[in-house]
Amino acid sequence: MEPTTFVLFGATGDLAKRKIYPALYNLFLDGKLPPSFALIGLGRRELSDETFRGNVERSIRTFSRRKVQDDAAAVERFLDAFRYCVLDVGRKDDYRKLLDMIESREQELRLTPNRLFYLSVGPEFFEPIAANIQESGLGSADGWKRLVIEKPFGRDLPSARDLNRKLNQAFAEHEIFRIDHYLGKPMVQKLEALPRSHPAFQALWTGRRIASVQITAAETVGVEERAGYYDHSGAIRDMFQNHMLQLLMMLAAHLPAGQADEKAGVRKKKAVQALRPLTKEEAKAHVVRGQYAAGTVQGTPVVGYTAEPGIDAESANDTFIAARLLLDDPFWRGVPFYIRTGKRMSGKSTRIVVEFERLPGQPLPTAEDEGAAHDLLVVDIGPEEGITLRSKANDPRRSAASEPIRIDLQANPDDVPEAYENLIGDALRGDATFFAHWDEVEWSWAWVQPILEAFADNLVPLRLYAAGSEGPAESDALLAENGHRWWSDSRNEQEIEMKEGNQYAYHANH
Ligand code: NAP
């Protein structure tokens, strides 16, 4: 790994404390930080280097997935790389001061001037920081430069294009690493290779065998302290345009054998380009927009969205969205992708379910079956991680019954790197595979834009759902139109898991 100076804007913020320092510490433990490494933390607060290092140490002791070693010398070695510099984004003098500090550290440590600028600050600062990096000469040394930015990347198609154009004045596309932390999750990184990872999947993985793909990200929390941001963003901007469409791309971007060297970014771009566009008039037929009302989440009564502190009592903001998407692609033609994400749902889970058609001759489900009327490939992304194939097979030893078979490809829960570890490690190595490339971001916004407009013009009715439920009934109805149903909610989870008994009660009710 090349020598690197890691310049962290927002070094006193929440994300740095909870995610970035613990990720760097775990990379350090694994020997995955560059041997010559310096970090300069930035913020408006006046902090000495010692106080800053003390804050970083507290953060790793509180949030690191691996316990901070008692080996005080190792912790000291890790913290030794950290320095702090006061910087206000809008003050040009501060960038000159920063340049002096970086240059003196580079000389002191004999570092090649490779600089990684990580913007862990509000999105309104992305453009002025990039412009100041260029203007001050911070980015024009002999080594490489990289820009790592957090979401959100724009709030619609025009603003995303505008932001990108401005960033491109200071950084080329190959120097920009847009973080979508879902892409750092180990299970998500396996998705694109999934069809090749097990003979059973290879046999099942043809467009004709796949009945539907369902992607769910359900949260139990409400809007929490993010009212000001969330009420102008909604589930569509906060989750759907970025994380959910990235999950779709990762799953859909597979290749016929023989083209395995085509870059992941190119394949993901092809997948998002293949999404059949919706007009704003068509949105109502394919999209469900929901907002949580009062209800009970896991035994605790909670208020509705419009009664939350900081939320306008008349707000029509979406806290839930479900959509049916089709891909005009030879493999995926005719296979609906259903995406659903919401707050205040019955359980917390991010999961992809691939539902397969029953083969001719495959036994019909019986009352004793494990609810597995279909073969399902279930990819649990969080909080549990794992891949399970739930399938039915005839057992010749038993006359009438058929046995569900399960293939568990469970990650080792004791040693799963956090998303930020994977992503920061990749950015340090210059590997952009698991970042959101501009084409993907632009095409995602382009697909979402008519829906944003349909929401703004109230062309898609706002459906209320009780907190603690699975979302509005219209989300079930959306799938029922194609003879499908959600396989990834608590109602069906019970059904999938049930060994015997009353699964027919469920069928009867639905
Ligand atoms: P935060 O806790 O509010 O921290 C903001 C940081 O920005 C602080 O370090 C603050 O330092 C600095 N800052 C604010 N104004 C500044 C200015 N004028 N000049 C220089 N520095 C300034 O926010 P956060 O939660 O860490 O989030 C940072 C970014 O990550 C945001 O874009 C957010 O959307 C994104 N993000 C956060 C999370 C998360 O879990 N927190 C998850 C995903 C994405 P001073 O106060 O010392 O100036």
Side-chain angles (χ1 to χ4, degrees), residues 357-372:
E357 304 277 4
R358 207 174 312 119
L359 283 177
Q362 210 177 7
L364 287 169
T366 68
E368 288 75 39
D369 282 339
E370 202 179 353

Side-chain angles (χ1 to χ4, degrees), residues 49-63:
D49 287 341
E50 285 66 37
T51 311
F52 178 50
R53 282 195 282 263
N55 293 346
V56 174
E57 182 171 355
R58 243 190 319 284
S59 133
I60 62 172
R61 287 195 185 278
T62 315
F63 297 108

Side-chain angles (χ1 to χ4, degrees), residues 58-70:
R58 243 190 319 284
S59 133
I60 62 172
R61 287 195 185 278
T62 315
F63 297 108
S64 167
R65 74 181 167 91
R66 284 183 293 208
K67 245 174 72 91
V68 170
Q69 297 165 337
D70 290 330

Side-chain angles (χ1 to χ4, degrees), residues 9-16 18-19 42-45 84 87-90 119-123 125-126 150-152 181 229 420:
F9 292 78
T12 53
D14 180 65
L15 185 69
R18 286 191 309 108
K19 297 289 178 192
L42 305 167
R44 287 166 306 177
R45 266 160 262 192
Y84 184 80
L87 178 140
D88 188 317
V89 165
L119 309 196
S120 178
V121 290
F125 295 135
F126 295 169
E150 284 289 337
K151 74 166 198 185
H181 70 272
Y229 155 77
Y420 273 88

Side-chain angles (χ1 to χ4, degrees), residues 216-227:
T216 297
E219 298 178 283
T220 52
V221 294
V223 65
E224 299 184 294
E225 298 88 38
R226 301 164 74 213

Side-chain angles (χ1 to χ4, degrees), residues 484-501:
H484 294 141
R485 61 179 159 146
W486 293 107
W487 283 104
S488 56
D489 63 37
S490 58
R491 296 165 304 186
N492 298 329
E493 186 66 24
Q494 279 166 11
E495 183 182 337
I496 292 169
E497 296 301 337
M498 212 150 10
K499 289 255 187 294
E500 54 184 25

Side-chain angles (χ1 to χ4, degrees), residues 39 79 131 142 169 227 302 321 324 333 347 391 412 471 476 485:
L39 183 143
L79 294 173
D142 283 343
Q169 288 166 11
V302 296
I321 178 168
R324 174 176 49 218
R333 188 153 298 134
S391 188
N412 174 2
D476 293 341
R485 61 179 159 146

Side-chain angles (χ1 to χ4, degrees), residues 419-442:
Y420 273 88
E421 255 170 89
N422 286 331
L423 295 174
I424 292 174
D426 286 351
L428 285 166
R429 284 185 290 106
D431 180 350
T433 305
F434 294 113
F435 291 82
H437 310 104
W438 168 242
D439 292 330
E440 299 155 21
V441 176
E442 185 179 36

